[in-house]
Amino acid sequence: MSTPRTPRAAVLGLTVGALVAGGLVLAPAASAAPSTTIVINEVYGGGGNSGATYKNDFIELKNISAAPVSVTGWSVQYAPATGSTWQVTGLNGTIAPGGRYLVAEAAGAAGTADLPAPRTTGTINMSGTAGKVALVNNATMLNTVCGAACAGGAGVVDFVGFGTTANSFEGTGRAPAPSNTNSVSRNAAGADTDNNNADFVAGAPTPENVDVTDDPAAPRTCPTGPIAIGTIQGSGSASPCVGETVTVSGTVVGDLQDGGYRGFHVQDGGDGDDATSDAVFVFSSTPVSLGDQVTVAATVAEFEGLTELVSATATVTSSGGPLPAAAVLPLPSTTEQREALEGMLVAPASDLTVTEVFNLNRFGEILLAQGGRLISPTEAADTGGPSAAVAAQNAARSIVLDDGRTTNYSTAPAQAPPYLTVADPVRVGDTAQLQPQVLSYGFGLWRLQPADGTAEGNEFAATNPRPAAPGPVGGDLRIGDFNVLNYFVDFPSEFGDNARGATDAEELAEQQAKIVTAITALNADIITLHEIENSAVLTPETPYRAVETLLAAIEQADGHDWNYVQAHEDTDVITNAVIYRTDKATPVGAPLAYNGPEFDNARSPIGQTFRAGDETFSIIANHLKSKGSSCGAASDDTSVGGAGSCNGDRVAQAQALVAFAETVKTSSGDQDVLLTGDFNAYRYEDPIDVVTGAGYTDMGPVLADGQYSYVFDGGSGSLDHVFASPSIVAKVTGLAVWDINAVESFAYEYDSPYEGLYAPYAFRASDHNPTVFGLTTDIPATAAISDPKPLRGDRVTVTGTGFDAGTTVQATLPSRNGAVLGTGVADANGAVSITFTVPVLLTQGDYPVALTAVDGEKALTSFTLRPAYQDALLIILRFLTTHR
């Protein structure tokens, strides 16, 4: 029976939403309704202490109804005042109206009196003067701190939190604290009003066990005497023998006693049925070692989907023998295939790839996959049925690798998670090299546990090593996109929740060092930033303090002069920003910020036109609504295969964005537009369809297919995009997603609870990977003529390409003192056509034609004229041919 931990969020694309770290619920419990049948009547936790009235702790129940109530199969459960690990004592029998059911718990070395004959005896030690006791209508161990969500669910019939530090209780206050000589018991009224403070008083203990009778024995499913473990496991998802006492023998194949799971896996020689597992988890503190032969007498139970033997008596019959051969764990595999191997020593059929490290820094877990890393369902396929099929495939070919411990490495005092060092990470894309494992189940997921209970034998080949720099992108201008993970220069101590980043100056220095290292190595000339403090909201008197602080650090690191676009989000505490090297790009005109209701729950787009080399273009920085919170049923798409929360809002924002881009084009007089940033949408989701449907090209799949900016829910995908308008697509020379953040553990972030893995390098500077792409700005214009040997008086057309869209171009004859042949305006693609009549007075020879734009861009072509008499003959011949 594994020690409970914070419940896990769903993975592998089977649900969509932000993963939120769990924590203790420091709130009163609220049961569904006051109990009208069986209540907790008295709790005594001083048993066995020096000077104690009784030798044992006890819990007394009472039937306050008018009818007998059977409690067979129920349990009383205890957890410390602030703990989430519950101890369980099973119940049996029927309590008559007014009857009392006495449960004796652990005895101590002292105490003066024995309890009157108890109905049931358990092993719970209710140490201390504060704690929590639950009466549950089943024997399943509670798996939370048992706050508000627990007392009204999980089969909880009654609940009492006692003592001043109990972190959950019924009603407005806790019951009083017991002592060596006092219990807490219901007041004279005896009713349950769901208010522990009002219902309980402290006083001398008065334990009773009266009017409790036996229930008829339930028919057995498992035979008595020694049996095969396969008989206990059965071929279904749960044992057919739950609640029955059984005896089994076998080999210890998994020793998880020391890491907090408090038990071991035992495997026998099999029952000849491939559909039933030959191993089971034994919840026991009896010391055992791998290879020991043991005989176990215990009760069959189910805990969160795992068949277990509890209340076990284990006897080691021989020590240190060989382990059985590991069974092959097929991946992909069905639930039924995994059920047939539950608890057994297994080996995956092939190498497994690390596909997520989200829980590595917390619980020592890594998600592994057969056939390479998983791809987020809507990154791989259209929403609905196709992406739901991908989600199912992802689940079938993946499994959690656990570390054999229940430790939460991120809670104080923080500890180093397994596998990681500053210079040697485990990254998504690495290959697992595993020691022997047992197949277990917990928290809704199948998981591999190390047979020896430690992570030390597992290794990882660096098949996705840390890249020192982004891949090559070409071009003569580099443009980057970087989510700076709530870079704030103001702190919660002054601004509360509005300051989302570092908690103090020391943390800010660590965060900034990583970001600056990454941005410097990105070697970009223009960068769009996201999740940077909107100082205009926090400190209006210095509206750009955050971006100015970051730029000062960048300038100190790279020695270049940087500036920023003076525009920001209107209301949110984070904003988009655009920064640029002043020697590489020059702003053209004022920036534009979208101001519309579509972005009330997101960050408004910011647009700026730049001139670099021969090119004028505009860039718009974006950060659409996240998937992390609901926007209502009309907007959310949280079905399997859906696009997640707020999909409708992101669609409206994408529509507003493409309309805003038209405004930017009009303002700049240029059709070249780039849309960059965090769209919070994967490749095949509706907001992306809106943008591509407006004529923009998603450059990532074109130039960097298979490179992803984000890892979530086990899958890799790109929430961050670079979209190019038709006129600028050909000028984008390359794109690289720099794989430094999303594939790395949170343990490397500046705010990781464990400081021992911090380094001021670029890795895990954020949770999104940055993107960089190249742009050709020195594009020579070209010119061509429709007829290189025209006749005098012919109409010919000279066509030019590579001019700035919307610019005026003039065709001239340089050899004739720049005589003007005509003018035209370059279209959205930078092309222009000018038709003119070849002057009849020109003499024989070659005549260059120049196309010259108002910005100075020039291209040359030419035509050749024959002697005049030849033109005359060709004109006569042409006339005769056409009039024959």
Side-chain angles (χ1 to χ4, degrees):
M1 187 174 294
S2 50
T3 301
R5 294 179 278 182
T6 303
R8 306 291 197 274
V11 299
L12 310 177
L14 297 179
T15 65
V16 180
L19 288 172
V20 180
L24 298 183
V25 182
L26 303 179
S31 42
S35 176
T36 59
T37 55
I38 308 300
V39 296
I40 299 168
N41 196 54
E42 188 174 2
V43 176
Y44 175 66
N49 294 329
S50 177
T53 304
Y54 287 100
K55 298 176 181 179
N56 294 71
D57 296 339
F58 70 81
I59 301 167
E60 182 188 280
L61 309 177
K62 182 179 180 180
N63 184 352
I64 61 172
S65 73
V69 177
S70 172
V71 294
T72 296
W74 291 26
S75 63
V76 289
Q77 305 193 26
Y78 166 83
T82 60
S84 59
T85 299
W86 293 81
Q87 300 176 64
V88 180
T89 299
L91 307 177
N92 63 80
T94 294
I95 309 174
R100 288 167 169 77
Y101 186 121
L102 183 62
V103 183
E105 296 294 0
T112 59
D114 293 321
L115 291 173
R119 172 69 189 186
T120 298
T121 300
T123 59
I124 295 174
N125 181 2
M126 296 190 291
S127 58
T129 58
K132 304 176 292 249
V133 172
L135 173 63
V136 187
N137 66 7
N138 57 68
T140 299
M141 180 189 291
L142 298 174
N143 65 355
T144 73
V145 71
C146 213
C150 176
V156 174
V157 176
D158 196 18
F159 185 88
V160 57
F162 54 88
T164 57
T165 59
N167 64 2
S168 46
F169 45 88
E170 288 185 340
T172 59
R174 306 161 183 83
S179 67
N180 291 347
T181 56
N182 282 337
S183 67
V184 290
S185 59
R186 289 200 177 266
N187 59 32
D192 179 23
T193 67
D194 264 6
N195 189 340
N196 290 164
N197 191 5
D199 289 349
F200 285 85
V201 295
T206 58
E208 290 186 88
N209 188 76
V210 294
D211 294 333
V212 182
T213 58
D214 292 335
D215 286 338
R220 287 183 63 90
T221 301
C222 279
T224 58
I227 60 173
I229 292 175
T231 303
I232 297 169
Q233 286 281 11
S235 59
S237 60
S239 170
C241 308
V242 171
E244 299 177 13
T245 56
V246 296
T247 301
V248 298
S249 297
T251 304
V252 175
V253 294
D255 181 5
L256 302 178
Q257 291 183 301
D258 295 336
Y261 283 101
R262 299 187 295 168
F264 55 89
H265 291 262
V266 60
Q267 182 172 332
D268 66 12
D271 61 354
D273 186 351
D274 291 340
T276 62
S277 170
D278 300 323
V280 69
F281 182 75
V282 181
F283 183 58
S284 170
S285 59
T286 300
V288 297
S289 299
L290 282 180
D292 285 355
Q293 296 293 311
V294 295
T295 296
V296 180
T299 301
V300 180
E302 289 287 332
F303 177 68
E304 293 188 338
L306 179 68
T307 300
E308 299 183 338
L309 299 182
V310 300
S311 302
T313 300
T315 304
V316 177
T317 58
S318 65
S319 301
L323 298 180
V328 174
L329 172 64
L331 290 173
S333 53
T334 63
T335 297
E336 291 73 21
Q337 288 175 298
R338 299 185 189 194
E339 285 281 359
L341 298 171
E342 181 185 278
M344 293 176 61
L345 193 69
V346 297
S350 60
D351 288 342
L352 301 181
T353 300
V354 175
T355 193
E356 186 177 54
V357 292
F358 176 78
N359 266 332
L360 178 53
N361 74 295
R362 298 199 299 164
F363 302 118
E365 297 176 0
I366 294 175
L367 188 65
L368 304 177
Q370 174 272 339
R373 64 201 283 187
L374 307 178
I375 306 303
S376 295
T378 52
E379 178 74 24
D382 286 330
T383 56
S387 60
V390 174
Q393 294 163 8
N394 286 352
R397 64 184 184 93
S398 62
I399 194 164
V400 172
L401 175 67
D402 211 335
D403 66 342
R405 305 185 64 82
T406 63
T407 305
N408 186 339
Y409 298 99
S410 65
T411 58
Q415 304 175 53
Y419 314 124
L420 303 180
T421 68
V422 171
D424 187 15
V426 175
R427 289 165 48 94
V428 172
D430 286 349
T431 302
Q433 300 168 332
L434 304 180
Q435 64 165 316
Q437 306 284 319
V438 290
L439 179 62
S440 187
Y441 187 86
F443 308 104
L445 296 172
W446 290 99
R447 52 191 64 234
L448 297 172
Q449 297 283 11
D452 66 358
T454 74
E456 295 174 0
N458 295 327
E459 297 181 353
F460 299 86
T463 45
N464 183 26
R466 283 174 163 173
V473 297
D476 47 55
L477 187 76
R478 292 169 64 92
I479 301 176
D481 183 72
F482 204 118
N483 183 310
V484 292
L485 188 62
N486 289 315
Y487 174 82
F488 274 68
V489 296
D490 292 294
F491 307 126
S493 57
E494 182 176 359
F495 293 95
D497 291 343
N498 282 337
R500 300 179 183 175
T503 58
D504 53 37
E506 182 179 359
E507 274 199 354
L508 174 60
E510 291 185 347
Q511 180 189 24
Q512 183 171 286
K514 295 179 80 73
I515 293 172
V516 169
T517 300
I519 286 179
T520 302
L522 197 64
N523 194 27
D525 306 312
I526 301 173
I527 306 174
T528 49
L529 302 177
H530 316 284
E531 290 193 19
I532 190 167
E533 175 190 309
N534 188 2
S535 301
V537 171
L538 269 67
T539 57
E541 67 280 4
T542 53
Y544 297 101
R545 192 162 78 92
V547 69
E548 289 169 350
T549 302
L550 182 58
L551 284 193
I554 295 171
E555 289 178 337
Q556 184 175 13
D558 70 4
H560 298 300
D561 183 53
W562 288 78
N563 205 344
Y564 60 91
V565 170
Q566 295 197 18
H568 55 77
E569 155 70 28
D570 291 334
T571 57
D572 201 350
V573 295
I574 57 174
T575 187
N576 300 304
V578 184
I579 63 176
Y580 60 95
R581 277 180 53 177
T582 58
D583 61 329
K584 292 288 188 176
T586 302
V588 177
L592 295 176
Y594 182 78
N595 184 19
E598 297 88 351
F599 286 88
D600 283 350
N601 62 356
R603 278 62 51 184
S604 297
I606 294 171
Q608 176 64 59
T609 303
F610 286 97
R611 180 74 181 175
D614 297 327
E615 282 299 311
T616 300
F617 62 92
S618 299
I619 189 164
I620 302 176
N622 303 278
H623 188 180
L624 275 58
K625 178 70 178 78
S626 77
K627 301 172 184 281
S629 59
S630 173
C631 292
S635 181
D636 293 350
D637 180 14
T638 55
S639 60
V640 175
S645 295
C646 302
N647 181 61
D649 284 48
R650 287 189 294 278
V651 167
Q653 289 161 8
Q655 292 167 339
L657 170 62
V658 296
F660 175 59
E662 293 303 308
T663 301
V664 172
K665 291 177 185 178
T666 300
S667 174
S668 68
D670 193 285
Q671 296 294 306
D672 288 357
V673 174
L674 298 163
L675 313 176
T676 66
D678 181 359
F679 286 75
N680 272 307
Y682 293 116
R683 180 176 179 180
Y684 289 100
E685 294 180 13
D686 297 336
I688 307 305
D689 292 342
V690 169
V691 179
T692 57
Y696 290 84
T697 299
D698 188 354
M699 300 305 298
V702 175
L703 298 175
D705 194 31
Q707 299 181 35
Y708 305 105
S709 72
Y710 202 63
V711 176
F712 174 74
D713 215 13
S716 297
S718 285
L719 297 176
D720 308 270
H721 301 266
V722 174
F723 293 101
S725 64
S727 59
I728 201 172
V729 167
K731 302 170 189 176
V732 180
T733 55
L735 184 148
V737 179
W738 192 17
D739 207 12
I740 58 171
N741 294 329
V743 299
E744 299 250 352
S745 170
F746 173 80
Y748 294 108
E749 275 188 22
Y750 78 94
D751 54 348
S752 169
Y754 179 69
E755 288 286 342
L757 292 174
Y758 174 80
Y761 49 34
F763 305 106
R764 199 64 189 192
S766 178
D767 53 347
H768 292 243
N769 288 330
T771 298
V772 63
F773 59 97
L775 195 66
T776 296
T777 63
D778 186 14
I779 303 174
T782 63
I785 197 163
S786 60
D787 186 351
K789 289 187 176 182
L791 302 179
R792 295 167 178 81
D794 279 357
R795 295 283 289 174
V796 297
T797 300
V798 60
T799 302
T801 62
F803 294 96
D804 284 349
T807 191
T808 300
V809 180
Q810 191 174 67
T812 62
L813 289 174
S815 63
R816 304 294 288 180
N817 297 318
V820 176
L821 300 175
T823 60
V825 177
D827 65 15
N829 296 312
V832 63
S833 294
I834 300 172
T835 300
F836 63 92
T837 301
V838 177
V840 297
L841 298 179
L842 294 179
T843 59
Q844 176 185 351
D846 295 327
Y847 290 89
V849 177
L851 293 182
T852 305
V854 293
D855 59 10
E857 184 76 11
K858 180 181 289 188
L860 292 174
T861 185
S862 65
F863 61 88
T864 299
L865 292 181
R866 307 171 183 83
Y869 76 88
Q870 289 184 7
D871 271 10
L873 292 175
L874 289 172
I875 291 172
I876 293 170
L877 181 60
R878 181 189 295 173
F879 176 82
L880 294 174
T881 301
T882 57
H883 290 79
R884 181 176 298 173

